[in-house]
Every structure is written in C-alpha cells, then in structure tokens.
C-alpha cells in the first residue's frame, strides 16, 4: 500500500507504515442489469448455446457478472456428456467437425435431442429466479367427476406423501383411473406456487394425457413437450413431457410424476432416470405410476423402502378381462405363405360382427407388413397398421379412435396409453420373446375400460404357451382376486 507525499511540489509514492493500512476497498458497485428475457428463457434449463435466441456477447456478459454458467458440453478424459451424463466410450463418435475444424466427439446417447459435440457449449442460469406465475388463492382443478372409493384412498395417500416430499408408487391396474387420482396432488402443487412435470417414456401417453390435463386445469399454463412438438413456453408451472425432454431442464421441478414408469425404454435406459433426477430440484420427490411395476420397484414397495398404494380394481368396479389362449400353429410360416389362420379369422369376424373396434398386436414391423394386407383382403371394414417410425402414426390412432378405422394392427407401441371404448384385443404371435408379462398385461388392459362396456375379448394367439403368457394371466387373476375382497 502506498501513500502520496508532496515533496517539492511533486507527488511521489511512499510506502505506508503497516499499522496504517486502510481497510480493503468495497467491491465496485456495477450498474449491471441482467436481461429479464434471458433470465426467463434460461432459468431451470440446461441448453445448448445454439438453442437460445440470444447473441453470444449477451450471454458472455452475463457470465462475466455471475448470472450464467457456460461449460464445454463434452468433457475429455474421461469422455463425458454434460447433458445426459453418458460416459460409455462406445456411445461417442469422433469426426472431422466442419464448425471448428478439429476432430470432435459427439454423444450418441442423447442425439435424439440434437447433436452435442466437443465444441458445443451448455448454458444455465445462475442468477435470481424469475416469477414463474402468480397463482391465486383457490383451487385450479375444474374436474367435476367423482373419485371411486379406491381412487380417493390412493389420492389422499399420494397427496400426504407429496406434502412430505417423499417418493411414492401408485400401482394401479389398467383402467383404474390413475390420471384422476393425481388431481388433488397436482392442485396442491399449483396452489402452492410449485412446479411439476408429468413425464412418460412414451409420446403416445403424453399425447393422451395433455388434453385431459388441459381440461382439468384450464387456467394453468401447461407446456407439452415431445420430439417434434412446437411448444416453447417457458417458464410454466406445469409440464407434460417425454422423459427425454427432461434433459433440457436442470433443478426446475418440485415434483415429477413418471407415468408408465415400466415402459420401455425407461426401464432399460439409465439416461432416463438421470434425466428425471437432473430436472428435479434437490430433495424434490418422484412419483411412479404403473400397472406393471418392474421387479426392482415391486421389491422396494414390498420391503417398504418405497411408500405407495396398490389399486387392484378398475374405476367401474368390474374385474379385468382374463385373456384366452388359442393355439394357431406356426403363424409365422402361415403368413409368409399368404394364409390367414381360420381360428384367428373367426374370432376377428365375430368382433367385427359385434361392431367392436379391434386392436391386433404383432411382434414386429416385419410381421405387421405381412399380416396387415392379409387382413385387408379378408374383411370388409377399414384396416390400418401402425409402428413407431410410421409418419402417419398419430393420424391413424385418431382415425381408429374416431371410428374411421375399425381394425388397427400395431406393434407394441400402443400397448399402453390409448383408450378406446368397446375394444377387443388380439396378440398375434403371443409366444414371441417381445411379449413379456408386463406387455401382455398392458395389452389386456386395453379392453373393457368403459363403464358402458366393462367386458370384452382378449386372446393370445400362439404356437406354444410361454412362461410369460402364463405369468400374465396369473397376474390378472391375482389382481381380480385382490380387487374382489
Ligand atoms: Zn449426451
Ligand atoms: Zn467441433
């Protein structure tokens, strides 16, 4: 520290005695005003620089003042994707990058959400939070229906657990009305100015849920996110999304409800549980919703390390339809030769005669492409076929829902989420490996969901009964027995 002394009219620097040191200067008060549009766009999110409609200078300036964190999207040694936490080297590819002129790695695990490479940057907001919205002091739920006794019991257990910020499992048979029993918990979150998401591994489930939630909560801003959706509303208190899309959030939600938690790919893909935990604030709870919990989840529930409630009855109180098994011989060979099995065709004609819409589940796209034309030739009603990569998939499901298609041949993509009154269901080739217990229970759950028509026919057409088929039937019989008590 120096002081200035006047000597012969010239200022010269002299060291100050140590005991005379003044206190350190106060930090300079800058007049930096953060950009509120950037704050709103970025708060609670984890985005690539090129996903933000703001100039780089503006973001750099905010970083310099501590309002934004910028990091390289892919760390080297060891290679790690900062968006999805992938660190398996076989899930990275290297290539000569035209943008930076270097060899860049990109992450294949989260590629669906757009490419993340070594020269990409991820941005997050570290400044103060914006006001997300201004809830009024009243319930937002406009749903006028009434919960069944079983639903009401589960709904209040769920609400208590959400208040205590504890994880919870709702283990409810297909058609038990698990969406409605969420309403009290959702309403509690919204009236308490908290943020929540309902996420599902399946786009179809998101598309089925969104209109029902919008109807029940008409005054709440809701964002619906899935691959290809155009919604960019942010920040909103309520998000309905595929689990993939949660990777674009960080520390945003006070509650995440995972619907159809056992649905492939959540069950098999470690990235999706990661996405959920990243999007949640710390200590915020997760709620799992399923008709067919994985073995792991079941064990946690049975050993009481996870709270939850089982609902073994459908909301209308009727039992689940029990699948029949019908042997049709070597179905694969038959359809290759262009023949449709008469046992299968008889069943189909009977359903058509009763004017029931019919789901026909097949093991693969290959089988679908052989079976669909054979059915078209054999029947007089309109037939459609859908699979995951079908560009007209959503339209065809709509056509089936509204009666323009009477038969829908589908891969397992529609095993859950889609509710059609009066429907019957067949599994064509139920002995194929793809149909495990969970899938078969879900498919059987498509039938008899309407109180006006609580029954219906479910048939597993096969060339040899498998263990999974037997387990599925046992599962349904057990639930019916418990529900009857
Ligand atoms: Zn990644
Ligand atoms: Zn590059």
């Amino acid at each position: 520290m120096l002081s200035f002394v006047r000597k012969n009219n010239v200022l010269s620097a002299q060291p100050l005695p140590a005991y005379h040191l003044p206190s350190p200067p106060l930090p300079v008060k800058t007049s930096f005003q953060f950009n509120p549009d950037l704050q709103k766009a970025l708060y609670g999110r984890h985005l690539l620089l090129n996903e933000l409609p703001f100039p780089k200078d503006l973001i750099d300036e905010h970083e310099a003042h501590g309002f934004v964190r910028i990091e390289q999207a892919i760390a080297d040694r060891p290679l790690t994707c900062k968006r999805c936490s992938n660190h398996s080297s076989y899930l990275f590819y290297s290539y000569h990058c035209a943008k930076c002129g270097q060899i860049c790695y990109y992450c294949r695990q989260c590629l669906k959400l757009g490419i993340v490479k070594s020269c990409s940057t991820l941005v997050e907001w570290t400044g103060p939070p914006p006001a997300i919205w201004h809830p009024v002091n009243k319930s937002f739920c406009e749903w006028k229906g009434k919960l069944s006794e079983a639903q009401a019991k589960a709904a209040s257990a769920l609400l208590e657990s959400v208040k205590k910020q504890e994880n919870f499992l709702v283990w409810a048979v297909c058609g038990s009305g698990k969406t409605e029993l969420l309403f009290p918990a959702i309403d509690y979150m919204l009236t308490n100015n908290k943020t929540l998401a309902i996420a599902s591994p399946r786009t179809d489930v998101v598309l089925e849920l969104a209109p029902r939630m919008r109807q029940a909560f008409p005054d709440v801003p809701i964002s619906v996110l899935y691959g290809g959706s155009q919604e960019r509303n942010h920040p909103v208190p309520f998000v309905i999304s595929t689990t993939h899309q949660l990777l674009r959030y960080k520390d945003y939600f006070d509650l995440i409800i995972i619907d159809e938690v056992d649905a492939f790919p959540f069950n098999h893909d470690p990235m999706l549980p990661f996405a959920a935990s990243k999007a949640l604030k710390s200590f915020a709870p997760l709620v799992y919703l399923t008709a067919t919990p994985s073995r792991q989840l079941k064990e946690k529930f049975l050993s009481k390390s996870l709270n939850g409630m089982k609902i073994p009855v459908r909301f209308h109180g009727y039992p689940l339809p029990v699948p029949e098994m019908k042997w049709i011989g070597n179905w694969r060979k038959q359809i290759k030769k262009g023949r449709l099995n008469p046992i299968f065709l008889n069943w189909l004609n009977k359903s058509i005669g009763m004017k029931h819409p019919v789901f026909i589940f097949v093991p693969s796209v290959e089988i679908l492409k052989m079976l669909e034309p054979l059915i078209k030739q054999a029947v007089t009603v309109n037939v459609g076929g859908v699979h995951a990569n079908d560009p007209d998939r959503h339209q065809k499901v709509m056509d089936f829902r509204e009666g323009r298609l009477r038969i829908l041949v589908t891969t397992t993509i529609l095993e859950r989420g889609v509710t059609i009154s009066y429907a019957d269901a067949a599994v064509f080739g139920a002995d194929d490996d793809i149909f495990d217990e969970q899938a078969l229970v879900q498919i059987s759950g498509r039938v008899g969901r309407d109180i006006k028509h609580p029954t219906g026919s479910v048939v597993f057409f096969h060339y040899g009964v498998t263990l999974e088929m037997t387990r599925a039937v046992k599962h349904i019989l057990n639930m019916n027995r418990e529900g009857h008590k």
Side-chain angles (χ1 to χ4, degrees):
M1 187 57 67
L2 301 171
S3 71
F4 292 96
V5 209
R6 194 172 288 270
K7 205 178 189 180
N8 302 330
N9 265 347
V10 176
L11 282 175
S12 68
Q14 299 276 320
L16 268 183
Y19 57 84
H20 203 68
L21 287 177
S23 48
L26 288 169
V28 188
K29 263 195 187 162
T30 65
S31 53
F32 182 76
Q33 279 292 320
F34 64 81
N35 179 319
D37 292 333
L38 179 64
Q39 177 202 33
K40 277 192 169 167
L42 203 50
Y43 170 71
R45 309 213 77 188
H46 201 213
L47 297 175
L48 291 169
L49 194 59
N50 61 15
E51 290 174 314
L52 280 165
F54 296 95
K56 174 85 164 55
D57 296 354
L58 182 83
I59 291 166
D60 285 343
E61 197 189 349
H62 280 75
E63 190 203 21
H65 288 91
F67 287 79
V68 156
R69 180 181 301 132
I70 299 179
E71 64 178 339
Q72 197 183 336
I74 292 182
D76 8 276
R77 266 175 278 163
L79 274 175
T80 309
C81 172
K82 291 295 181 69
R83 180 164 71 178
C84 73
S85 89
N86 164 33
H87 49 263
S88 309
S89 52
Y90 70 94
L91 286 173
F92 288 100
Y93 272 8
S94 63
Y95 74 124
H96 188 85
C97 172
K99 191 183 146 213
C100 66
Q102 310 274 324
I103 298 295
C104 261
Y105 285 96
Y106 70 87
C107 173
R108 287 198 301 143
Q109 184 169 258
C110 61
L111 193 56
K112 260 187 160 175
L113 286 184
I115 191 163
V116 171
K117 49 189 178 174
S118 312
C119 63
S120 310
T121 31
L122 280 165
V123 190
E124 64 188 284
W125 182 258
T126 49
I132 293 178
W133 73 320
H134 302 285
V136 286
N137 222 350
K138 68 165 186 74
S139 161
F140 288 97
C141 187
E142 297 280 312
W143 184 67
K144 295 285 179 268
K146 199 170 174 291
L147 296 175
S148 73
E149 200 183 315
Q151 278 175 313
K153 213 170 128 200
S156 68
L158 172 64
L159 177 61
E160 285 319 304
S161 138
V162 164
K163 284 182 183 169
K164 284 188 269 177
Q165 294 195 300
E166 287 172 354
N167 295 346
F168 196 84
L169 167 72
V170 180
W171 179 356
V173 291
C174 305
S176 58
K178 55 187 161 63
T179 307
E180 291 80 15
L181 70 82
L182 300 177
F183 290 160
I186 294 174
D187 204 35
Y188 167 81
M189 296 302 286
L190 295 170
T191 48
N192 284 281
N193 201 8
K194 293 183 191 291
T195 48
L196 83 142
I198 303 185
S200 170
R202 302 263 179 146
T203 305
D204 304 88
V205 176
V206 170
L207 291 174
E208 172 107 2
L209 272 174
R212 296 171 70 185
M213 290 300 166
R214 285 202 160 123
Q215 211 170 21
F217 298 95
D219 296 331
V220 178
I222 300 179
S223 235
V224 180
L225 307 172
Y226 53 92
S229 72
Q230 292 304 313
E231 272 184 61
R232 295 289 175 268
N233 287 348
H234 183 79
V236 293
F238 192 0
V239 172
I240 302 170
S241 142
T242 56
T243 29
H244 269 95
Q245 299 288 330
L246 293 180
L247 283 175
R248 291 211 176 94
Y249 288 87
K250 197 171 179 183
D251 300 328
Y252 183 71
F253 296 106
D254 297 298
L255 171 72
I256 296 181
I257 300 169
I258 310 237
D259 196 3
E260 306 289 358
V261 63
D262 56 297
F264 181 85
F266 195 89
N267 221 3
H268 302 261
D269 189 343
M271 177 179 87
L272 299 179
F274 169 80
S277 67
K278 170 177 153 182
L280 271 178
K281 291 180 184 164
S282 38
F283 306 111
L286 260 180
V287 171
Y288 306 95
L289 226 55
T290 176
T292 49
S294 64
R295 203 146 295 161
Q296 206 187 3
L297 215 51
K298 228 188 267 186
E299 272 164 20
K300 277 190 181 170
F301 170 73
L302 294 173
S303 69
K304 300 216 160 58
S305 66
L306 172 65
N307 261 332
M309 186 154 280
K310 208 166 166 182
I311 310 175
V313 277
R314 290 188 146 183
F315 76 94
H316 54 45
Y318 291 89
L320 296 157
V322 181
E324 285 175 81
M325 304 202 202
K326 285 188 200 274
W327 186 87
I328 53 168
N330 193 338
W331 46 271
R332 211 179 285 269
K333 204 162 146 191
Q334 293 161 15
I335 58 167
K336 267 187 191 150
K337 287 187 175 164
R339 289 207 312 261
L340 207 54
N341 187 283
I343 303 173
F344 170 71
L345 190 59
N346 271 344
W347 174 84
L348 192 57
N349 277 323
K350 212 172 133 195
S351 287
I352 295 171
M354 290 189 290
K355 299 206 167 9
H356 291 173
V358 185
F359 282 106
I360 298 171
F361 289 88
V362 295
S364 65
V365 180
E366 187 200 349
I367 301 290
L368 183 130
K369 291 197 167 146
M370 288 191 278
L371 188 64
E372 188 195 339
L374 291 177
I375 296 177
K376 273 186 176 154
Q377 278 169 21
V379 302
T380 51
V381 294
N382 291 338
V383 181
V386 281
H387 55 88
N389 296 322
D390 184 344
D392 301 326
R393 166 178 165 185
H394 301 311
Q395 183 58 45
K396 285 178 186 170
V397 173
M398 187 99 79
D399 288 345
F400 186 50
R401 204 188 283 286
E402 291 168 4
R404 288 184 293 276
L405 286 176
R406 292 282 304 284
I407 298 177
L408 196 62
V409 189
T410 170
T411 55
T412 54
I413 53 158
L414 295 186
E415 79 189 22
R416 53 185 87 224
V418 179
T419 296
I420 311 267
S421 297
Y422 295 90
D424 288 334
V427 182
F428 187 90
D431 49 312
D432 190 280
D433 287 345
I434 196 155
F435 294 116
D436 59 9
E437 174 190 338
Q438 294 178 350
L440 292 168
V441 169
Q442 289 286 349
I443 287 170
S444 309
R446 297 304 98 214
V447 174
R449 296 171 77 103
D450 194 322
I451 189 155
K452 283 177 261 155
H453 186 76
T455 57
S457 173
V458 187
V459 183
F460 298 165
F461 292 97
H462 66 88
Y463 181 36
V465 174
T466 61
L467 184 61
E468 298 297 316
M469 286 161 66
T470 327
R471 279 184 177 151
V473 174
K474 214 189 239 169
H475 183 134
I476 290 168
L477 289 172
N478 277 340
M479 280 299 203
N480 283 346
R481 202 169 301 133
E482 280 184 48
H484 198 67
K485 269 183 212 157

